[in-house]
Amino acid sequence: MSVPSSPSKDFIREIIDEDLSSGKHDSTVTRFPPEPNGYLHIGHAKSICLNFGIAEEYGGRCHLRFDDTNPSKEDVEYVDSIKEDIQWLGFDWGDHLYFASDYFDKLYKWAKHLIDEGKAYVDDQTFDEIRKGRGDLTTPGTDSPFRDRSAEENLELFKAMKKGEFDDGSKVLRAKIDMAHPNLNMRDPILYRIARAHHHRTGDEWCIYPMYDFTHGQSDALEYVTHSLCTLEFENHRPLYEWFLDNLPVPSQPRQIEFSRLNLNYTVMSKRKLLQLVEDNHVNGWDDPRMPTISGLRRRGYPPEAIRNFCKTIGITKFQSTNDMALLESGVRDVLNRDARRFMAVLDPLKVVITNYPEGQSEEIETVANPENPDAGMRHFSFSREIYIERDDFMEDPPKKYFRLSPGNEVRLRNAYFIKCEEVIKDADGNITELHCTYDTDTPRGENPSDGRKVKGVVHWVSAAHSVDATVRLYDRLFSVESPDSAEGTFLDHLNPDSLTEMPNAKLEGNLAGVPNGETVQFERLGYFCVDKESSAENRVFNRTVGLRDSWAKVKAKS
RNA sequence: AACUCCAUGGUGUAACGGUAGCACAACAGAUUUUGGUUCUGUUUGUCAAGGUUCGAAUCCUUGUGGAGUUGCCA
């Protein structure tokens, strides 16, 4: 009913505005129609945000409808995961959960209707004969020898097909349209095939199943969907979609509108390829944090809000674009910077002994949990004589703009004192094993030294005696090239060998032991990290969601 | 070489015949107890050629480039 006014809208929302103001429709009904044959990925999120988003904005509704017309590929496992992912993204279909299989009876009647009208026939040709008869892109097809069977004969045959009197694949029901049509979809498309497959909902009730084309538009019409939004590859199907609406006594006239699917660089999006990554163990399951699946992004620690914002930002057009992963990550940082609690964690520890700090002594430090959000409150942790710092926060022979710790140099320990490196301890092989430093009692948190001296470097740390151990998994892009789909060789040739790095000896601030599974926090100066589902009190596991912007890395890379 | 669709900075996306704007990225600077955040500034664009018009990213023509379609998949 309401037409939200905003500065600019995509072409689909413009069409909806027109349909509302012209009186063509007085409410808006959309639908998200996945086939339950795999896990949802971020490309589906684009469609979900579009369809459910429009329903919210226009005060309409969005149906969740499972397009389950090909039982050999489908399973309830996928139905469940799809529901979970949509809800996690923050959308709700309310009472409007549907299955195309709910319409099998209706569709069967409509098929008989077409037969009665002389607009459908049973074809006995083999698979190959049908294919050959279809012609190709530049040559028209030829009529099937069975094309002119009488309506009576067709009806008997079709009923017999349903009763199971014929073998799988031996006959099909086809629409009688035009074998010379320039659009191949209109060359007498197949409506029903015989397939004795157990359906996850209808069981063994049917041995004939309707095709996508004979199902989708009619399902939309039955649900009074006003705008049926799908991706570009269905563009050529629209004439057929409309042919069924025109030739069947459907209760409403939905309109199909196509938009471009989401592409992201440095990853693949096709179900087939994602399946291959899982089956060949290039990743650890559908929810591997490197996967572009919704479940993978969730496990990676991406907030649903960031995914929704991303979908809003990339917009809806018919242009086949490839979006930059950096845009997604930027949105993830935005949300997490605002929401994530801060902690300190050392991934690659180097022990530091503060030689002038009394043995056996410790003190409690208080600081904010999140500087961006005062409501997050305070946190407390301990400082003591032995601490860990990040190994790459020390260099024995530093380059010019290196602000961190080096021999004789002084840095600020984050939330604590200045320390100065006095001595580097090495093992027999020359590896640095320990640093001996002194601290300045004049420089606790919140105070600068009375002599006015300053330091440029701030280094995070954890108290050795108060730390907890953890494994931290660092994730990088799954592929090393921007478009693995079009790169030389197969996409598997371009897997990034360093997409996963395990840091098995990480030392965490003690407070991190209490963070629940699934929460994403910031490890100060390092990035955002999410408690993995495999994490336990005995064996803590964190996944890096995304690193912080790192301008030092850029400086370093240049030199 | 059929039909359909698409073309705006590096990547996306606005501008609906009237100043080409925004985000990300990049670069420079300021602030900073996160080399984070925040703030300021800079660079970069209408696929090409014609036409219509006072005026074209926008309308028309042609070309070029890209995508989809020859499943009893969706």
Side-chain angles (χ1 to χ4, degrees), chain A residues 273-343:
Chain A
K273 287 173 181 162
L274 294 177
L275 179 67
Q276 195 176 347
L277 289 172
V278 173
E279 287 189 336
D280 297 354
N281 294 310
H282 298 295
V283 296
N284 305 311
W286 285 99
D287 67 347
D288 185 294
R290 290 165 293 184
M291 291 283 274
T293 50
I294 304 293
S295 51
L297 300 177
R298 177 166 60 229
R299 192 171 170 193
R300 176 84 171 247
Y302 279 28
E305 180 184 358
I307 296 173
R308 278 184 259 119
N309 290 347
F310 172 72
C311 290
K312 199 170 292 177
T313 308
I314 59 175
I316 299 292
T317 67
K318 300 184 79 150
F319 177 61
Q320 311 203 352
S321 55
T322 300
N323 286 275
D324 198 336
M325 192 67 95
L327 183 59
L328 213 206
E329 291 182 343
S330 161
V332 169
R333 289 194 191 97
D334 279 350
V335 171
L336 259 12
N337 177 55
R338 185 195 66 199
D339 294 345
R341 301 148 75 193
R342 316 283 139 122
F343 298 93

Side-chain angles (χ1 to χ4, degrees), chain A residues 58-72:
Chain A
Y58 288 86
R61 57 177 204 266
C62 178
H63 298 179
L64 171 57
R65 181 173 72 233
F66 287 96
D67 231 325
D68 54 349
T69 57
N70 185 14
S72 63

Side-chain angles (χ1 to χ4, degrees), chain A residues 116-135:
Chain A
D116 288 341
E117 303 266 300
K119 291 171 183 166
Y121 61 97
V122 173
D123 195 343
D124 297 0
Q125 290 185 108
T126 64
F127 187 97
D128 286 333
E129 286 165 342
I130 289 179
R131 182 166 46 76
K132 281 172 83 177
R134 188 155 32 226

Side-chain angles (χ1 to χ4, degrees), chain A residues 364-494:
Chain A
E364 188 173 81
I365 290 173
E366 180 186 70
T367 189
V368 294
N370 179 357
E372 306 292 320
N373 177 15
D375 294 342
M378 309 299 286
R379 85 188 135 111
H380 305 264
F381 51 90
S382 298
F383 177 74
S384 64
R385 177 183 165 90
E386 293 196 358
I387 63 173
Y388 296 109
I389 67 166
E390 209 68 63
R391 193 162 277 274
D392 68 7
D393 280 340
F394 174 79
M395 281 185 93
E396 205 170 9
D397 187 18
K400 39 275 128 209
K401 287 180 178 170
Y402 190 80
F403 305 152
R404 282 110 101 148
L405 200 59
S406 56
N409 190 34
E410 195 174 36
V411 297
R412 164 75 75 177
L413 286 178
R414 173 79 173 149
N415 295 311
Y417 301 97
F418 279 22
I419 58 167
K420 186 176 189 178
C421 177
E422 311 282 3
E423 191 182 357
V424 180
I425 314 295
K426 297 181 182 178
D427 65 13
D429 300 324
N431 300 312
I432 300 170
T433 55
E434 198 171 297
L435 261 27
H436 286 183
C437 296
T438 51
Y439 85 115
D440 183 346
T441 56
D442 197 25
T443 60
R445 177 175 168 73
E447 288 180 42
N448 286 316
S450 41
D451 64 8
R453 76 186 193 282
K454 294 197 168 165
V455 295
K456 266 195 159 171
V458 178
V459 163
H460 63 275
W461 56 276
V462 297
S463 166
H466 304 89
S467 68
V468 296
D469 296 336
T471 296
V472 175
R473 298 175 181 152
L474 305 179
Y475 294 102
D476 197 358
R477 49 178 61 127
L478 228 199
F479 293 91
S480 44
V481 296
E482 277 210 43
S483 35
D485 285 320
S486 54
E488 199 123 331
T490 102
F491 73 106
L492 294 173
D493 296 338
H494 302 284

Side-chain angles (χ1 to χ4, degrees), chain A residues 83-380:
Chain A
K83 286 181 183 173
E84 182 187 359
D85 288 348
I86 296 171
Q87 284 172 329
W88 178 76
L89 277 172
F91 297 105
D92 180 15
W93 52 88
D95 298 330
H96 299 284
L97 172 64
Y98 303 100
F99 291 82
S101 54
D102 294 341
Y103 311 133
F104 280 174
D105 283 317
K106 191 79 181 178
L107 261 6
Y108 178 69
K109 279 183 195 128
W110 278 341
K112 289 191 291 187
H113 175 85
L114 287 181
I115 291 172
D116 288 341
E117 303 266 300
K119 291 171 183 166
Y121 61 97
V122 173
D123 195 343
D124 297 0
Q125 290 185 108
T126 64
F127 187 97
D128 286 333
E129 286 165 342
I130 289 179
R131 182 166 46 76
K132 281 172 83 177
R134 188 155 32 226
D136 62 27
L137 267 15
T138 51
T139 46
T142 49
D143 287 359
S144 164
F146 303 96
R147 198 170 196 262
D148 293 316
R149 292 216 253 229
S150 69
E152 294 70 28
E153 187 186 0
N154 280 321
L155 195 57
E156 287 315 304
L157 255 13
F158 185 51
K159 284 180 179 170
M161 277 170 64
K162 181 187 185 260
K163 274 191 224 157
E165 294 178 14
F166 305 117
D167 291 339
D168 284 11
S170 61
K171 284 180 171 47
V172 290
L173 183 73
R174 302 179 74 176
K176 191 193 278 193
I177 304 180
D178 178 3
M179 287 307 292
H181 197 106
N183 180 340
L184 301 240
N185 289 122
M186 300 297 274
R187 321 246 259 229
D188 289 10
I190 290 168
L191 270 28
Y192 271 89
R193 73 281 215 185
I194 305 172
R196 285 166 178 79
H198 186 81
H199 190 284
H200 60 104
R201 302 198 90 232
T202 61
D204 298 313
E205 186 186 345
W206 295 85
C207 67
I208 57 171
Y209 289 96
M211 300 289 290
Y212 164 85
D213 284 306
F214 192 65
T215 306
H216 204 91
Q218 289 92 304
S219 303
D220 288 339
L222 284 167
E223 294 175 19
Y224 295 87
V225 167
T226 54
H227 302 269
S228 181
L229 314 178
C230 62
T231 45
L232 249 26
E233 65 269 27
F234 293 102
E235 216 155 22
N236 297 324
H237 293 245
R238 186 170 3 108
L240 182 55
Y241 180 101
E242 289 169 352
W243 191 88
F244 290 126
L245 297 180
D246 289 343
N247 287 281
L248 257 12
V250 293
S252 75
Q253 293 284 321
R255 198 233 274 213
Q256 172 179 309
I257 304 170
E258 310 86 15
F259 63 94
S260 67
R261 63 163 64 244
L262 172 71
N263 296 299
L264 268 185
N265 57 9
Y266 298 106
T267 190
V268 294
M269 212 66 89
S270 90
K271 249 177 207 175
R272 197 202 100 232
K273 287 173 181 162
L274 294 177
L275 179 67
Q276 195 176 347
L277 289 172
V278 173
E279 287 189 336
D280 297 354
N281 294 310
H282 298 295
V283 296
N284 305 311
W286 285 99
D287 67 347
D288 185 294
R290 290 165 293 184
M291 291 283 274
T293 50
I294 304 293
S295 51
L297 300 177
R298 177 166 60 229
R299 192 171 170 193
R300 176 84 171 247
Y302 279 28
E305 180 184 358
I307 296 173
R308 278 184 259 119
N309 290 347
F310 172 72
C311 290
K312 199 170 292 177
T313 308
I314 59 175
I316 299 292
T317 67
K318 300 184 79 150
F319 177 61
Q320 311 203 352
S321 55
T322 300
N323 286 275
D324 198 336
M325 192 67 95
L327 183 59
L328 213 206
E329 291 182 343
S330 161
V332 169
R333 289 194 191 97
D334 279 350
V335 171
L336 259 12
N337 177 55
R338 185 195 66 199
D339 294 345
R341 301 148 75 193
R342 316 283 139 122
F343 298 93
M344 291 199 284
V346 176
L347 269 29
D348 184 12
L350 171 61
K351 182 174 271 189
V352 172
V353 179
I354 317 285
T355 54
N356 59 340
Y357 196 90
E359 277 185 62
Q361 185 177 314
S362 71
E363 64 193 272
E364 188 173 81
I365 290 173
E366 180 186 70
T367 189
V368 294
N370 179 357
E372 306 292 320
N373 177 15
D375 294 342
M378 309 299 286
R379 85 188 135 111
H380 305 264

